[in-house]
Amino acid sequence: DTGTSFDALASSTDLVEATDVVAGAEGLYVVGFTADGDAAVVAVDLGGGGVTPLFAGAPLVQPTGIALSADGATLYVSDLASDPSGVMNGGVYTLPTGGGTLAALSVGTIDLPGDVAVAHGGGSLYVSGFTSGGDPAIFTVSMAGAASVAFSGAPLVDPLALAPGPD
Protein backbone atom coordinates (compact mmCIF):
# COMPACT_ATOMS: atom_id res chain seq x y z
CA ASP A 1 0.00 0.00 0.00
CA THR A 2 1.59 3.22 -1.17
CA GLY A 3 -1.22 5.48 0.01
CA THR A 4 -1.83 6.53 -3.60
CA SER A 5 -5.38 6.15 -4.76
CA PHE A 6 -6.03 4.03 -7.83
CA ASP A 7 -8.41 6.85 -8.87
CA ALA A 8 -5.47 8.28 -10.81
CA LEU A 9 -6.73 6.26 -13.77
CA ALA A 10 -10.25 7.61 -13.46
CA SER A 11 -9.15 11.11 -14.46
CA SER A 12 -7.04 9.94 -17.40
CA THR A 13 -8.29 10.06 -20.95
CA ASP A 14 -5.46 7.68 -21.87
CA LEU A 15 -7.06 4.61 -20.29
CA VAL A 16 -10.71 4.41 -19.28
CA GLU A 17 -11.04 0.68 -18.58
CA ALA A 18 -8.40 -1.45 -16.85
CA THR A 19 -8.39 -5.23 -17.28
CA ASP A 20 -5.24 -6.05 -15.26
CA VAL A 21 -2.54 -4.33 -13.22
CA VAL A 22 0.96 -5.23 -12.07
CA ALA A 23 3.09 -3.27 -9.61
CA GLY A 24 6.74 -2.51 -10.20
CA ALA A 25 9.41 -0.39 -8.53
CA GLU A 26 8.56 2.55 -10.79
CA GLY A 27 4.78 2.34 -10.32
CA LEU A 28 1.89 0.44 -11.85
CA TYR A 29 1.61 -1.04 -15.32
CA VAL A 30 -1.94 -1.42 -16.59
CA VAL A 31 -3.62 -3.02 -19.62
CA GLY A 32 -7.06 -2.00 -20.76
CA PHE A 33 -8.83 0.26 -23.21
CA THR A 34 -8.67 3.92 -24.25
CA ALA A 35 -11.73 6.15 -24.65
CA ASP A 36 -11.56 5.34 -28.37
CA GLY A 37 -11.83 1.61 -27.59
CA ASP A 38 -8.22 0.80 -28.49
CA ALA A 39 -6.42 -1.81 -26.41
CA ALA A 40 -3.53 -0.17 -24.57
CA VAL A 41 -0.74 -0.52 -22.03
CA VAL A 42 0.10 2.41 -19.72
CA ALA A 43 2.41 3.17 -16.81
CA VAL A 44 1.09 4.98 -13.73
CA ASP A 45 3.52 6.97 -11.57
CA LEU A 46 2.49 6.41 -7.96
CA GLY A 47 4.29 9.54 -6.79
CA GLY A 48 2.35 11.99 -8.91
CA GLY A 49 -0.35 9.86 -10.49
CA GLY A 50 0.78 10.66 -14.03
CA VAL A 51 -0.20 8.21 -16.76
CA THR A 52 2.29 7.44 -19.55
CA PRO A 53 1.05 5.55 -22.65
CA LEU A 54 3.42 2.69 -23.50
CA PHE A 55 1.58 1.00 -26.38
CA ALA A 56 -1.86 1.10 -28.03
CA GLY A 57 -3.58 -0.64 -30.92
CA ALA A 58 -2.90 -3.71 -33.01
CA PRO A 59 -2.00 -6.46 -32.53
CA LEU A 60 -3.73 -6.08 -29.13
CA VAL A 61 -7.48 -6.62 -29.29
CA GLN A 62 -8.63 -7.90 -25.87
CA PRO A 63 -5.71 -7.69 -23.40
CA THR A 64 -6.53 -9.54 -20.19
CA GLY A 65 -3.26 -10.05 -18.32
CA ILE A 66 0.00 -8.28 -17.58
CA ALA A 67 3.14 -9.39 -15.72
CA LEU A 68 6.52 -7.82 -15.01
CA SER A 69 9.87 -9.56 -15.54
CA ALA A 70 12.06 -10.30 -12.54
CA ASP A 71 14.52 -7.57 -13.60
CA GLY A 72 11.72 -5.02 -14.08
CA ALA A 73 12.65 -4.33 -17.71
CA THR A 74 9.98 -6.25 -19.61
CA LEU A 75 6.20 -6.48 -19.51
CA TYR A 76 4.35 -9.60 -20.63
CA VAL A 77 0.83 -9.07 -21.97
CA SER A 78 -1.74 -11.79 -22.66
CA ASP A 79 -4.45 -11.05 -25.22
CA LEU A 80 -7.52 -13.20 -25.83
CA ALA A 81 -8.16 -12.24 -29.43
CA SER A 82 -5.07 -11.04 -31.24
CA ASP A 83 -3.90 -13.99 -33.35
CA PRO A 84 -4.51 -13.04 -37.00
CA SER A 85 -4.34 -16.66 -38.25
CA GLY A 86 -7.88 -17.45 -37.12
CA VAL A 87 -6.82 -20.98 -36.15
CA MET A 88 -6.15 -20.12 -32.51
CA ASN A 89 -7.27 -17.07 -30.60
CA GLY A 90 -4.89 -14.72 -28.84
CA GLY A 91 -1.24 -14.37 -28.01
CA VAL A 92 1.35 -13.46 -25.41
CA TYR A 93 3.54 -10.43 -26.09
CA THR A 94 6.56 -8.64 -24.64
CA LEU A 95 6.98 -4.88 -24.25
CA PRO A 96 9.85 -2.89 -22.72
CA THR A 97 8.70 -1.11 -19.55
CA GLY A 98 9.66 2.20 -21.14
CA GLY A 99 7.33 1.55 -24.07
CA GLY A 100 8.10 0.85 -27.69
CA THR A 101 7.47 -2.16 -29.87
CA LEU A 102 5.19 -4.99 -28.84
CA ALA A 103 6.74 -8.33 -29.84
CA ALA A 104 5.01 -11.69 -30.13
CA LEU A 105 6.33 -14.20 -27.60
CA SER A 106 3.79 -16.97 -28.12
CA VAL A 107 1.06 -16.62 -30.73
CA GLY A 108 -1.05 -19.51 -31.97
CA THR A 109 0.11 -22.06 -29.38
CA ILE A 110 -2.27 -21.21 -26.54
CA ASP A 111 -5.93 -20.68 -27.34
CA LEU A 112 -7.56 -17.76 -25.50
CA PRO A 113 -4.67 -16.84 -23.18
CA GLY A 114 -6.34 -15.31 -20.13
CA ASP A 115 -3.55 -14.34 -17.77
CA VAL A 116 0.21 -14.32 -17.62
CA ALA A 117 2.47 -14.57 -14.56
CA VAL A 118 6.24 -14.74 -14.16
CA ALA A 119 7.43 -17.97 -12.56
CA HIS A 120 9.50 -17.71 -9.39
CA GLY A 121 13.04 -16.85 -10.40
CA GLY A 122 11.91 -15.26 -13.65
CA GLY A 123 13.07 -18.04 -15.97
CA SER A 124 9.67 -18.75 -17.51
CA LEU A 125 6.05 -17.70 -17.56
CA TYR A 126 2.75 -19.30 -16.67
CA VAL A 127 -0.19 -18.61 -18.96
CA SER A 128 -3.80 -19.69 -18.49
CA GLY A 129 -5.89 -20.65 -21.50
CA PHE A 130 -6.99 -23.62 -23.56
CA THR A 131 -5.25 -26.32 -25.58
CA SER A 132 -5.87 -26.61 -29.31
CA GLY A 133 -8.32 -29.39 -28.41
CA GLY A 134 -10.35 -27.05 -26.21
CA ASP A 135 -9.20 -28.33 -22.80
CA PRO A 136 -8.71 -25.70 -20.10
CA ALA A 137 -5.03 -25.53 -19.18
CA ILE A 138 -2.13 -23.80 -17.49
CA PHE A 139 0.93 -23.52 -19.73
CA THR A 140 4.60 -22.98 -19.05
CA VAL A 141 6.15 -20.63 -21.60
CA SER A 142 9.92 -20.27 -21.99
CA MET A 143 11.42 -16.83 -22.51
CA ALA A 144 11.99 -17.93 -26.11
CA GLY A 145 8.23 -18.46 -26.53
CA ALA A 146 7.96 -22.26 -26.48
CA ALA A 147 4.75 -23.30 -24.71
CA SER A 148 4.06 -26.60 -23.02
CA VAL A 149 1.08 -27.78 -20.99
CA ALA A 150 1.81 -27.77 -17.26
CA PHE A 151 -1.70 -28.92 -16.30
CA SER A 152 -4.99 -29.40 -18.17
CA GLY A 153 -8.49 -30.68 -17.58
CA ALA A 154 -10.62 -30.91 -14.45
CA PRO A 155 -11.03 -29.19 -12.11
CA LEU A 156 -10.20 -26.31 -14.49
CA VAL A 157 -13.17 -24.95 -16.42
CA ASP A 158 -12.26 -21.44 -17.62
CA PRO A 159 -8.86 -20.56 -16.13
CA LEU A 160 -8.11 -16.87 -15.96
CA ALA A 161 -6.16 -15.46 -13.00
CA LEU A 162 -2.74 -16.78 -11.97
CA ALA A 163 -0.60 -16.19 -8.90
CA PRO A 164 2.40 -18.55 -8.74
CA GLY A 165 4.00 -19.27 -5.39
CA PRO A 166 7.71 -19.33 -4.67
CA ASP A 167 7.94 -23.09 -5.27
Side-chain angles (χ1 to χ4, degrees), residues 139-161:
F139 297 84
T140 302
V141 179
S142 73
M143 294 306 175
S148 60
V149 175
F151 181 84
S152 71
L156 299 176
V157 175
D158 190 5
L160 186 56

Side-chain angles (χ1 to χ4, degrees), residues 90-163:
V92 177
Y93 299 90
T94 64
L95 177 69
T97 53
T101 303
L102 194 73
L105 178 64
S106 181
V107 175
T109 56
I110 301 169
D111 200 18
L112 301 168
D115 197 13
V116 58
V118 176
H120 184 68
S124 63
L125 303 172
Y126 291 111
V127 178
S128 62
F130 294 86
T131 66
S132 60
D135 294 322
I138 305 298
F139 297 84
T140 302
V141 179
S142 73
M143 294 306 175
S148 60
V149 175
F151 181 84
S152 71
L156 299 176
V157 175
D158 190 5
L160 186 56
L162 296 170

Side-chain angles (χ1 to χ4, degrees), residues 45-64:
D45 175 11
L46 293 177
V51 177
T52 303
L54 300 177
F55 186 88
L60 295 179
V61 176
Q62 182 72 41
T64 53

